[in-house]
Amino acid sequence: MNQREKNIKLFIEYNGNTQTIETFAGEYRNLMVLIKDQLWVEGIGECGGMARCGTCLVELLNADENLAVIDSKEAAVIRRSVNTPATLRLACQILVDETVNGLQVKVLEP
Ligand code: FES
C-alpha cells in the first residue's frame, strides 16, 4: 500500500510551545480538525466547523493574501470574539491544502 507523501508542513503554537505538523491535502477536513487531533486543545470546535462558536480562533503569523479571505459569517464571529486585526481567522474555515504549507499559526484560547 502506498502512503501519501506528507508535503504540507505547519508550525502551530499553543500554550507557548510550537509543534511542527506534517500532513497532506485531504488528511484533515480543515485546520480546526487538524489542531483538535494533533494538539488536543480542550474546548475547540464546539460547533463542529460551522463558523458559529468562535472556539477555533487562530492567529496567522505569516499568512499571504490567499488566507486573508474571510466570508461575512466568519468575519461576524471574529468581531464578536475579539477586537483585533485581520490576521485572525477561524481555523474551521481554512482548508488544509498546499496553500497552508509553511504557515505559522498561534492557537488562541477557546
Ligand atoms: S469550530 Fe466553531 S467557529 Fe470554528
Side-chain angles (χ1 to χ4, degrees), residues 56-90:
C56 67
L57 199 62
V58 295
E59 182 174 3
L60 306 182
L61 302 175
N62 67 337
D64 66 19
E65 63 278 355
N66 290 335
L67 286 168
V69 178
I70 300 177
D71 73 16
S72 59
K73 190 164 85 173
E74 182 179 7
V77 172
I78 290 171
R79 274 196 307 272
R80 192 175 70 209
S81 302
V82 279
N83 182 14
T84 353
T87 55
L88 297 183
R89 292 286 314 269
L90 296 175

Side-chain angles (χ1 to χ4, degrees), residues 15-93:
N15 271 348
N17 298 313
T18 301
Q19 290 193 36
T20 302
I21 308 289
E22 294 185 82
T23 186
F24 53 84
E27 184 173 27
Y28 293 101
R29 189 165 29 118
N30 57 51
L31 186 57
M32 180 274 291
V33 175
L34 180 149
I35 291 169
K36 191 173 189 168
D37 183 59
Q38 294 281 330
L39 282 82
W40 300 68
V41 176
E42 198 169 318
I44 192 171
E46 279 184 12
C47 72
M50 301 298 289
R52 290 191 187 139
C53 67
T55 60
C56 67
L57 199 62
V58 295
E59 182 174 3
L60 306 182
L61 302 175
N62 67 337
D64 66 19
E65 63 278 355
N66 290 335
L67 286 168
V69 178
I70 300 177
D71 73 16
S72 59
K73 190 164 85 173
E74 182 179 7
V77 172
I78 290 171
R79 274 196 307 272
R80 192 175 70 209
S81 302
V82 279
N83 182 14
T84 353
T87 55
L88 297 183
R89 292 286 314 269
L90 296 175
C92 67
Q93 301 302 299

